[in-house]
Amino acid sequence: MCGIVGYIGTDHAKEKIIDGLKRLEYRGYDSAGIALPINGSIEIRKAVGEIKNLESKISEAEFDSSVGIGHTRWATHGKPTEANAHPHGNMEQNIAIVHNGIIENYQEIREWLATEYGIKFKSETDSEVIAHLIGLYYDGDLLAAVNKAVAEMKGAYAVAAIAAEEPDKIVAVRKDAPLVAGIGKGFNFIASDIPAVLKYVQDVYLIENNETVVLTKDNIVIYDENGNTVKRDVYPVEWKADAADKADYDHFMLKEIHEQPKVIRETLMNRLNEDGSIRLDDISMTKEDIENFNKIYIVACGTAYHAGLVGKMVIERMAKIPVEIDVASEFRYRDTFIDDNTLFIAISQSGETLDTLEALRDAKSRGARILSVVNAVGSSIARESDDVFYTLAGPEIAVASTKAYTTQLICMYLIGLYMGSTRGTMDKEYYDRVLDELKALPGKVEKILYSEEKIKDMAKRYHFNDHVFFIGRGLDSGVSYEGSLKLKEISYIHSFAIAAGELKHGTIALMDSETLVVALATQDILYDKMVSNIEEIRARDAHVIGLAKEGRTEVEKVSNEAIYIPECIDEVAPVLAVIPLQIFAYYVALERGCSIDKPKNLAKSVTVE
Ligand code: F6R
């Protein structure tokens, strides 16, 4: 949830680190800091709030070095104050560290360090103990001291450390939190995420769990937990450097909304052979495995969970297997019925969401086969899965997920199609029809994007509403949850999604002239029922924005406003229906002057339970 960047080379480290931190700000942004080794000591500067606050504190010429580490934080232990911001130093101020993750036994270590060694702590964080532990074990060899410190630590961490006496190296270590080493010429980087270094390097090493890495300006050496050097293949990053830039857009969210035609096409075409069959050269699941599955669990959090809601219905319809869907934090603590014939599908953009990862581990230990749908290559969820369907969404920087969601939906269709055709539960004609409809989606999404101005005007009219409801039936009900989440997370408007048929079992009591309802009516099979639901709401004076396929004009007659999506089969409508909802959320938030890419209290990747 926080971001790490370290640089070692011949240039001004602080400039490289600030640039990398800005690219990671989406991961956490309540405070930030930088540590540099200067004249035999470690100098640390920190600031609360956005990176620009830190920039103003590091401008003096003396604060300079060609080596350094930096951090942008999303508070877990202790408030977002300067004292709690990273980097943390030891008492002698000759060691500094930055840390992502959680040290579970930090209280124990803290007490031990305080009682045995009289160490005084400056922060309330779990992370500070790491600096003191390394300091305690340091006798001129940073690598050895980091290894000794790590042996005391329980939890999840990516740590980067520097020592004043060894300004020619950065030592970093990983356990259950992402870490990459960026390979340059005459310089190297360490970072928690690829976008931080994309401007400077095209090749990285993905650091594995329990590995330590030592970076000098000309070398990167990786060690396993027994201290043996590890030969790691170079991972060429296919993302373009500008993929992590805003280009001409005002916000990453808007840019990412507009990237959807491209990333949907890429995610789909990457998996299609010329004859329309699904390409699975990297998937080890056999025909027999698929025939033997008797149950599927889809588990995810937030937006990824909403993709799973649609995935459940699509896979059930196509492959005729019962699919259960759950949020990861609930799945882990209830009775589930997993055996060797269970398929567990984890969906995650970051591939690092801790609840999803732990649910996966639990299902795996009980015999389930693990298939994940992940965007971040080499992430923990991807690595711990038997098979991975990558969403080729590229880096998603805005905290509110958009293009990851639509590419997750594409993977759900591909999985449904593949399982349905393998199990013989869908005929060729239906398979071909769905495939044709999927291939037509990028063009149809583009068409919806042309109506951006209309939705922007709508946002101007409705951004005052304090309560917004999203309703739908069938596949639309899954999309209404996503529309509602988008709106609340970036505009801070209270919004609520509910299956349209449930409305009259209680929630309709809230409908009055102050209420806005966004009613999704894209499912032909449920269209008439939705029209009746809208009429019931209008009878209570609530305002309704109806969303339907082109030509379904009844919706316009019963609603105050209508948004149309291009004609399509019901199955693929979620990919189209969500686009106006994303645009609506964006412009409502803009009208309300909200911090769109970095909403308050949120972080891009939730690596705590
Ligand atoms: C909302 C959003 C979050 C994430 C959720 C899961 O816009 O982005 O709800 O979807 O935190 O994250 P991943 O997909 O990285 O597991």
Side-chain angles (χ1 to χ4, degrees):
M1 315 182 56
C2 310
I4 290 177
V5 191
Y7 168 85
I8 184 158
T10 49
D11 232 327
H12 302 287
K14 66 179 176 185
E15 286 166 17
K16 297 283 182 296
I17 293 169
I18 285 285
D19 184 63
L21 290 179
K22 282 185 176 162
R23 288 162 200 281
L24 287 189
E25 236 183 336
Y26 67 100
R27 290 196 50 113
Y29 34 79
D30 56 41
S31 52
I34 287 189
L36 307 178
I38 300 173
N39 299 333
S41 178
I42 298 279
E43 294 284 331
I44 300 178
R45 302 279 189 279
K46 308 180 191 188
V48 172
E50 298 188 6
I51 309 289
K52 57 178 189 259
N53 301 350
L54 176 65
E55 263 181 302
S56 60
K57 288 195 162 179
I58 58 166
S59 49
E60 83 269 35
E62 297 74 48
F63 186 71
D64 198 10
S65 169
S66 55
V67 184
I69 52 176
H71 190 266
T72 170
R73 177 170 186 256
W74 188 86
T76 54
H77 290 71
K79 289 201 158 48
T81 59
E82 212 168 290
N84 289 339
H86 299 217
H88 294 288
N90 60 338
M91 291 212 336
E92 293 75 22
Q93 205 63 14
N94 64 338
I95 299 287
I97 64 99
V98 286
H99 165 228
N100 283 0
I102 285 195
I103 306 304
E104 285 162 8
N105 58 340
Y106 82 100
Q107 287 286 17
E108 227 171 89
I109 300 177
R110 208 175 153 113
E111 272 170 44
W112 174 65
L113 289 173
T115 350
E116 289 290 316
Y117 300 96
I119 286 176
K120 301 220 171 352
F121 289 84
K122 292 185 188 149
S123 77
E124 304 155 285
T125 65
D126 55 333
S127 311
E128 192 185 342
V129 298
I130 306 171
H132 295 294
L133 273 179
I134 297 174
L136 186 69
Y137 294 125
Y138 187 70
D139 62 2
D141 182 347
L142 184 58
L143 174 62
V146 167
N147 283 335
K148 284 188 187 149
V150 161
E152 310 277 350
M153 286 156 38
K154 292 198 185 108
Y157 45 81
V159 176
I162 52 171
E165 287 93 324
E166 295 173 87
D168 58 343
K169 69 175 66 145
I170 299 174
V171 177
V173 58
R174 164 193 169 131
K175 181 169 173 276
D176 287 338
L179 193 64
V180 297
I183 311 165
K185 284 205 175 76
F187 66 90
N188 288 306
F189 278 96
I190 191 81
S192 50
D193 304 75
I194 292 171
V197 297
L198 211 50
K199 187 168 154 195
Y200 305 103
V201 300
Q202 264 321 116
D203 292 329
V204 300
Y205 292 124
L206 301 173
I207 309 303
E208 301 274 349
N209 267 345
N210 303 314
E211 287 180 348
T212 313
V213 52
V214 178
L215 296 99
T216 56
K217 82 179 173 45
D218 299 309
N219 242 322
I220 298 175
V221 185
I222 305 171
Y223 298 93
D224 68 15
E225 56 193 317
N226 301 316
N228 303 313
T229 51
V230 176
K231 170 119 191 50
R232 176 67 28 81
D233 289 340
V234 169
Y235 175 74
V237 183
E238 280 162 17
W239 294 344
K240 301 265 181 306
D242 64 3
D245 278 337
K246 254 192 286 188
D248 289 335
Y249 290 94
D250 289 339
H251 295 95
F252 278 109
M253 184 179 176
L254 192 61
K255 177 184 178 229
E256 288 161 8
I257 288 173
H258 279 265
E259 280 171 355
Q260 290 179 109
K262 175 171 167 276
V263 296
I264 288 171
R265 186 177 296 115
E266 283 172 3
T267 302
L268 181 66
M269 298 321 281
N270 179 51
R271 287 266 171 223
L272 288 186
N273 292 314
E274 267 178 25
D275 63 358
S277 60
I278 293 169
R279 186 184 304 143
L280 296 167
D281 25 19
D282 56 337
I283 302 280
S284 60
M285 214 181 339
T286 62
K287 185 170 186 296
E288 199 186 349
D289 293 330
I290 293 174
E291 279 163 355
N292 287 340
F293 289 139
N294 52 24
K295 180 168 205 178
I296 298 177
Y297 283 101
I298 301 182
V299 174
C301 302
T303 288
Y305 166 74
H306 298 155
L309 290 174
V310 173
K312 167 189 161 67
M313 293 188 220
V314 165
I315 296 170
E316 282 179 341
R317 189 169 299 177
M318 296 179 184
K320 309 286 182 240
I321 309 179
V323 182
E324 271 201 45
I325 160 105
D326 214 342
V327 286
S329 52
E330 288 298 312
F331 175 88
R332 293 177 59 193
Y333 302 106
R334 70 178 175 97
D335 293 328
T336 45
F337 303 95
I338 290 176
D339 60 26
D340 294 354
N341 292 325
T342 307
L343 176 66
F344 178 96
I345 304 180
I347 310 178
S348 175
Q349 187 283 127
S350 62
E352 301 294 345
T353 302
L354 194 61
D355 277 319
T356 310
L357 180 62
E358 290 295 345
L360 176 159
R361 287 175 177 158
D362 173 58
K364 193 172 181 176
S365 71
R366 292 192 285 136
R369 184 166 188 106
I370 313 293
L371 171 66
S372 61
V373 173
V374 169
N375 195 40
V377 176
S379 55
S380 304
I381 291 176
R383 289 188 318 195
E384 297 193 26
S385 300
D386 296 310
D387 292 302
V388 186
F389 254 67
Y390 280 110
T391 48
L392 303 187
E396 193 181 60
I397 310 289
V399 164
S401 184
T402 52
K403 59 177 181 168
Y405 173 77
T406 40
T407 52
Q408 283 160 355
L409 292 184
I410 296 301
C411 291
M412 293 292 112
Y413 294 115
L414 289 167
I415 292 168
L417 282 177
Y418 183 65
M419 294 185 108
S421 61
T422 307
R423 290 165 68 90
T425 47
M426 62 196 296
D427 60 32
K428 175 91 173 71
E429 199 186 325
Y430 179 47
Y431 180 98
D432 288 343
R433 173 121 199 259
V434 176
L435 205 58
D436 285 347
E437 290 275 340
L438 288 174
K439 286 185 194 158
L441 283 175
K444 292 180 184 177
V445 172
E446 256 159 33
K447 196 170 167 198
I448 299 172
L449 292 172
Y450 294 142
S451 53
E452 190 172 330
E453 283 301 314
K454 184 182 166 194
I455 301 167
K456 186 175 172 180
D457 285 348
M458 237 175 237
K460 282 190 179 136
R461 289 196 290 283
Y462 288 105
H463 73 273
F464 295 111
N465 278 79
D466 288 332
H467 304 283
V468 180
F469 292 82
F470 287 76
I471 61 167
R473 286 169 175 262
L475 287 166
D476 277 340
S477 102
V479 183
S480 34
Y481 283 93
E482 179 56 10
S484 170
L485 179 65
K486 280 298 83 88
L487 185 69
K488 78 176 75 152
E489 68 182 332
I490 59 167
S491 74
Y492 317 138
I493 290 177
H494 168 246
S495 76
F496 184 79
I498 183 166
E502 262 300 285
L503 209 57
K504 50 177 142 341
H505 298 286
T507 307
I508 201 162
L510 298 173
M511 302 289 144
D512 60 24
S513 58
E514 302 292 302
T515 320
L516 174 65
V517 179
V518 180
L520 281 72
T522 73
Q523 301 293 296
D524 286 342
I525 181 176
L526 294 159
Y527 182 71
D528 292 342
K529 295 204 182 311
M530 273 310 296
V531 170
S532 307
N533 287 135
I534 296 173
E535 281 173 327
E536 285 157 15
I537 297 163
R538 292 284 296 123
R540 273 85 190 167
D541 294 329
H543 287 256
V544 176
I545 300 178
L547 194 153
K549 289 184 202 159
E550 274 163 5
R552 314 303 191 275
T553 48
E554 198 58 31
V555 161
E556 195 161 350
K557 288 183 203 141
V558 292
S559 310
N560 301 77
E561 317 248 4
I563 300 173
Y564 290 108
I565 59 166
E567 182 65 50
C568 62
I569 55 168
D570 284 1
E571 285 84 335
V572 305
V575 180
L576 301 177
V578 77
I579 310 285
L581 305 186
Q582 296 169 343
I583 300 172
F584 183 69
Y586 174 81
Y587 282 108
V588 168
L590 197 66
E591 286 295 326
R592 293 167 69 98
C594 301
S595 163
I596 294 184
D597 284 337
K598 291 174 272 175
K600 67 176 182 204
N601 303 341
L602 297 181
K604 185 69 184 158
S605 164
V606 184
T607 49
V608 289
E609 287 179 42

